[in-house]
Amino acid sequence: MRVLGIETSCDETGVAIYDATQTGGSGLLADALYSQIAMHAEYGGVVPELASRDHTRKLLPLIDQVLHEAQLTRRDLDGIAYTAGPGLVGALMVGASTAHGMARALNIPVLGVHHMEGHLLAPMLEDDAPEFPFVALLVSGGHTQLVEVKGLGHYQLLGESVDDAAGEAFDKAAKMLGLAYPGGPLIAKLAEQGDPKRFRFPRPMTDRPGLDFSFSGLKTHTLTAIRQLEAAGELDSQARADIARAFEEAVVDTLVIKCRRALDQTGLKRIVMAGGVSANTRLRERLALETEKRNARAYYPRGRFCTDNGAMIAYVGAQRLAAGERDEDGIMKATPRWPLDTLLPPSAR
């Protein structure tokens, strides 16, 4: 089954074609991604209306591009998958309407899939993919969650952020330091020049049991430190780097501590990390060391599949379409808020 995957949940237009008759990463026939980051950076964050308009402009050319790269025509497709949520409703509608229009014209099945399930299973695109069951850390600009994954659609939420997601906290801390949007990569780059011993920021909610996260207090602590240095006339370039280092270390430590607890709680030896923040080098290094101590192993998608992309949507769509799932009565879906733990395995639908 050759499935076209469409991702338009926020500020990146992703398209891919996945062949479910093949195994491992070899099933990915072609993928393309267009990022709107440069456009939104001018405003310091995503502007929903601009995002929707840009998806409209870019989506069909990207579909033609991946079909050409895969040496296929639209008639060679067996199904279409699109991101139905969570995300920006206008952006979601662009992908949903395009997918349904194409599917109807081609008389092939279409299915709206969960954006975070795409991230969750993105490591399955790799040749060395993890086996079920495993613990997953989903860490991005909109979500920070720990999930026990027993199989496709068999998800148990172990913990999540009660306020800001980790990626959101990175962006806000970057703005405090006068850095551009998106802030995560810029904070990480600045932190490389920082003195790890100058500041120590709190590791939120690690002094109590449980697997939930909170980053709002860390954000406030960072702002207080910046204002104190400003008041003393000491907020120079080195101080900014030192704060960036302290902030990154606090977020990384918090995430790793919670991952360790999740592995201990479940007794599992595999952990998957996905989402935009999973590309953070320091986080990968720390999690690799932590899993090695426990005779466990960490899995990640390749760099370009950490952020939003069409390949992960095509993969999930291929698995669920092959199991017989379809959008009921041909009704397209756009669900801005959609809890991951409400998903069901294909056999239960």
Side-chain angles (χ1 to χ4, degrees):
M1 173 174 268
R2 293 167 177 164
V3 175
L4 176 72
I6 296 173
E7 157 60 27
T8 63
S9 65
C10 189
D11 60 348
E12 286 164 318
T13 312
V15 180
I17 299 174
Y18 187 87
D19 189 346
T21 62
Q22 302 185 52
T23 58
S26 60
L28 183 63
L29 303 183
D31 72 281
L33 182 71
Y34 173 77
S35 175
Q36 302 175 0
I37 285 177
M39 177 179 67
H40 295 295
E42 179 181 351
Y43 303 95
V46 177
V47 181
E49 177 63 22
L50 294 181
S52 301
R53 292 179 181 181
D54 220 33
H55 287 309
T56 302
R57 284 191 291 265
K58 300 297 183 181
L59 183 52
L60 289 177
L62 285 178
I63 291 173
D64 290 338
Q65 178 182 329
V66 296
L67 285 168
H68 177 75
E69 291 177 2
Q71 298 183 343
L72 300 173
T73 70
R74 296 187 182 190
R75 292 291 175 185
D76 294 318
L77 297 173
D78 301 304
I80 301 177
Y82 64 94
T83 300
L88 303 174
V89 66
L92 294 171
M93 287 294 294
V94 175
S97 58
T98 301
H100 271 264
M102 284 185 62
R104 178 162 298 216
L106 297 170
N107 195 29
I108 57 177
V110 60
L111 178 67
V113 303
H114 197 290
H115 176 77
M116 295 312 293
E117 185 175 34
H119 278 303
L120 186 76
L121 299 180
M124 298 300 190
L125 293 163
E126 308 302 327
D127 292 326
D128 186 19
E131 296 181 358
F132 298 118
F134 54 78
V135 170
L137 172 65
L138 299 177
V139 56
S140 67
H143 298 81
T144 302
Q145 298 176 323
L146 279 165
V147 183
E148 183 177 0
V149 181
K150 297 180 180 178
L152 180 66
H154 292 276
Y155 310 132
Q156 180 181 352
L157 183 64
L158 302 174
E160 62 183 338
S161 179
V162 299
D163 41 57
D164 291 351
E168 184 181 5
F170 266 110
D171 287 341
K172 290 180 178 179
K175 188 173 183 179
M176 295 174 198
L177 289 168
L179 302 176
Y181 172 87
L186 298 179
I187 284 272
K189 184 176 181 179
L190 183 60
E192 293 175 359
Q193 311 301 320
D195 179 357
K197 297 181 180 179
R198 182 173 180 182
F199 300 109
R200 179 176 173 80
F201 288 1
R203 276 60 174 162
M205 295 183 71
T206 59
D207 58 349
R208 67 191 77 174
L211 295 173
D212 284 337
F213 302 88
S214 172
F215 294 104
S216 63
L218 176 60
K219 180 183 63 179
T220 301
H221 187 94
T222 303
L223 180 60
T224 299
I226 291 172
R227 285 177 173 173
Q228 287 176 344
L229 288 170
E230 284 179 330
E234 299 175 356
L235 189 62
D236 55 17
S237 59
Q238 185 58 53
R240 292 177 188 276
D242 295 342
I243 288 175
R245 180 63 178 265
F247 177 84
E248 182 184 47
E249 290 288 339
V251 173
V252 167
D253 275 357
T254 300
L255 294 172
V256 171
I257 289 169
K258 298 289 185 170
C259 286
R260 181 180 68 213
R261 289 182 184 177
L263 289 172
D264 291 344
Q265 179 176 310
T266 60
L268 296 175
K269 294 295 184 180
R270 289 180 290 271
I271 186 164
V272 159
M273 185 168 66
V277 181
S278 70
N280 182 280
T281 301
R282 182 63 176 156
L283 178 56
R284 290 194 176 206
E285 291 173 350
R286 287 291 312 284
L287 190 58
L289 289 173
E290 194 63 40
T291 52
E292 185 178 353
K293 292 177 185 177
R294 285 168 163 68
N295 194 29
R297 184 177 173 188
Y299 295 83
Y300 319 96
R302 71 194 78 170
R304 75 177 191 271
F305 294 156
C306 289
T307 55
D308 296 350
N309 62 86
M312 66 185 191
I313 302 304
Y315 175 82
V316 172
Q319 309 311 307
R320 289 188 174 270
L321 283 166
E325 285 195 47
R326 307 286 189 272
D327 275 359
E328 296 180 5
D329 300 321
I331 299 175
M332 64 182 181
K333 297 183 293 187
T335 310
R337 296 182 181 275
W338 187 3
L340 179 66
D341 56 358
T342 63
L343 289 179
L344 297 172
S347 61
R349 293 177 61 89

